[in-house]
Amino acid sequence: TSETSGGVAVSNSGTFTHNSGTVEIQTPAATFTSPVNYNNLIINHASAAVKFTGSSGSTMTIAGDLTITQGSFENNISDANLTVTGDVSVTGTLTGNSGAMTFGSLTINSGGTYSATSGTTTITSMTSTGSGDRSLNNKSGGTFTNNDGTVLFNSSSDQRMEMAGTGNVHNLTLNKSDNDFVTFGNLTVEGDLSITLATVHTMRPNNASETLTVTGDVTIVEGKVGDVTNYTGAMSFGSLTIESGGTYIATSGTTTIKGNASSSTNLALNIDSNATFTHNSGTILFDGTNTFGGSSYGHFYFGDKTFNDITINASGKFIQPRKSNDSTLDINGDLTITAGQLSNYNNGISWDIAGDVDVSGTLGITDSTGAYSFGGIRINSGGTYNATSGTTTVTNRFTGTSN
């Protein structure tokens, strides 16, 4: 409940053996603790401002739980690290600065704040409180300040995440050797999302209508995203890359590709030929909100996959299907060009569109040579169709609403 004249609550120049016990600091002032290897540590005074000392890059380890009931806790050296094997519960304030933060789980209660490290916060497990188990739980009334850092989940067991309070993660990385990752409620990632899971496992929402919004790039290295057959929630990404071991099971609603101006490439949608893409009767929308890595040209590697509906509503942008000249862009539903342009990067790519083609922007470029097949086509006032020098086949009549 007090401190030394030097402002230290716990000073250890010898040997500290925790014996599976708990230390509670109730010092009503700014104070320090040596980087003692505690079992359980509790910070519990509204005026307690506790910093753990240590050298640059050093690590303080708590073998059990860290509970900040009141007051604050942070590293005195900004890049000192904190490892908590058990659960971290914050009703006061926990600050990571730039050190590596590793927690078994993290719960931010109402009134609590986690000011995350600008480095990586790693979550290795999950709480064990029954049906409300979470690996990261920012409860209503809690605050998560991301500081442009990364949150990494790496447990081989199931992990769950809920962000009902204020704030979003910046970068989110899943690197799990087994089991699923489940999100509760709508999830927003302000930076990039990278997913590496066991091939048969998935990142999925708890409820089919929940949404996923990622401002930056989404990369599915391995594993699945959206493994819910009736998934209806809106998905919005800066860009989407599905690598050879990845699977994207699309929402039956709309997957929006907005572009990512800060990306290092001008990819919009990149599907490896060995990846799995399931359209789920949904729509892919390229909306052109942002540039593609600073470019107006968004590359669309379609990987010989079949799509349902595709919409281009990207004024001033050019969406360019890319594949070898003997490949075919296959759309089972409709193609709608509301604004912007859809035109092949490789001139010999063919298009097979079973439904309506509705053009208010621009479709095609003048030097295309591939075979085009449309269910029906309508070129609206202001719209342009630059026909292939090969053959355009129309197999049916336009079935949409007449002008």
Side-chain angles (χ1 to χ4, degrees):
T1 60
S2 187
E3 61 186 7
T4 68
S5 59
V8 178
V10 179
S11 177
N12 179 34
S13 299
T15 300
F16 178 92
T17 304
H18 63 62
N19 280 327
S20 301
T22 297
V23 173
E24 182 169 345
I25 298 177
Q26 299 179 350
T27 307
T31 191
F32 297 92
T33 174
S34 297
V36 171
N37 290 333
Y38 294 103
N39 180 51
N40 298 319
L41 176 62
I42 299 173
I43 312 298
N44 189 13
H45 194 286
S47 299
V50 183
K51 296 184 177 183
F52 65 89
T53 59
S55 58
S56 175
S58 64
T59 299
M60 176 177 177
T61 299
I62 298 175
D65 300 333
L66 170 63
T67 303
I68 305 172
T69 306
Q70 303 178 85
S72 64
F73 188 61
E74 68 177 301
N75 41 5
N76 185 47
I77 304 298
S78 63
D79 65 345
N81 308 316
L82 175 64
T83 295
V84 182
T85 304
D87 301 328
V88 176
S89 177
V90 183
T91 311
T93 299
L94 174 62
T95 300
N97 292 309
S98 61
M101 300 289 113
T102 301
F103 309 140
S105 70
L106 173 60
T107 300
I108 307 166
N109 300 300
S110 179
T113 296
Y114 175 51
S115 182
T117 172
S118 58
T120 299
T121 299
T122 301
I123 309 293
T124 63
S125 188
M126 188 161 60
T127 56
S128 54
T129 57
S131 61
D133 292 356
R134 301 288 187 271
S135 301
L136 171 55
N137 190 2
N138 183 19
K139 294 183 177 181
S140 178
T143 300
F144 182 98
T145 304
N146 66 51
N147 291 317
D148 293 340
T150 295
V151 176
L152 164 66
F153 293 86
N154 66 357
S155 173
S156 60
S157 301
D158 283 344
Q159 290 185 284
R160 301 170 185 166
M161 175 180 181
E162 184 168 4
M163 300 291 286
T166 300
N168 303 306
V169 297
H170 184 68
N171 295 323
L172 176 61
T173 300
L174 310 183
N175 191 1
K176 295 169 55 62
S177 61
D178 204 356
N179 286 297
D180 291 352
F181 182 80
V182 184
T183 59
F184 288 74
N186 300 333
L187 177 63
T188 296
V189 178
E190 293 181 357
D192 299 331
L193 170 63
S194 176
I195 300 160
T196 303
L197 304 171
T199 303
V200 297
H201 288 288
T202 183
M203 174 182 176
R204 60 181 173 83
N206 178 61
N207 185 288
S209 63
E210 291 169 357
T211 64
L212 174 61
T213 301
V214 182
T215 302
D217 300 322
V218 177
T219 303
I220 308 173
V221 178
E222 188 172 357
K224 304 176 184 179
V225 171
D227 193 12
V228 180
T229 55
N230 63 339
Y231 187 55
T232 60
M235 310 281 269
S236 178
F237 310 137
S239 72
L240 173 61
T241 295
I242 312 170
E243 296 188 1
S244 59
T247 295
Y248 179 59
I249 302 172
T251 173
S252 61
T254 300
T255 299
T256 301
I257 307 296
K258 289 184 168 292
N260 179 13
S262 62
S263 178
S264 60
T265 71
N266 60 336
L267 290 175
L269 177 57
N270 180 19
I271 306 175
D272 188 274
S273 294
N274 294 316
T276 300
F277 174 87
T278 303
H279 63 62
N280 212 18
S281 299
T283 297
I284 300 292
L285 166 64
F286 298 90
D287 83 345
T289 297
N290 305 307
T291 64
F292 304 94
S295 173
S296 296
Y297 294 84
H299 291 173
F300 172 21
Y301 292 86
F302 53 88
D304 296 324
K305 309 307 176 187
T306 299
F307 300 87
N308 184 50
D309 295 332
I310 291 181
T311 297
I312 313 296
N313 189 7
S315 179
K317 307 297 194 308
F318 305 83
I319 306 302
Q320 297 182 307
R322 294 190 65 161
K323 198 74 171 61
S324 59
N325 279 327
D326 60 351
S327 59
T328 299
L329 175 60
D330 189 358
I331 300 175
N332 272 354
D334 299 332
L335 171 64
T336 304
I337 315 292
T338 304
Q341 182 168 340
L342 179 70
S343 53
N344 290 333
Y345 181 88
N346 305 90
N347 294 339
I349 293 174
S350 297
W351 296 345
D352 186 357
I353 303 167
D356 290 337
V357 177
D358 195 4
V359 183
S360 298
T362 300
L363 177 62
I365 53 176
T366 55
D367 54 356
S368 290
T369 60
Y372 293 171
S373 177
F374 306 145
I377 183 169
R378 179 176 69 182
I379 306 166
N380 300 298
S381 175
T384 298
Y385 172 48
N386 293 312
T388 174
S389 61
T391 300
T392 299
T393 301
V394 181
T395 62
N396 209 327
R397 64 179 183 175
F398 186 88
T399 60
T401 304
S402 299
N403 280 339

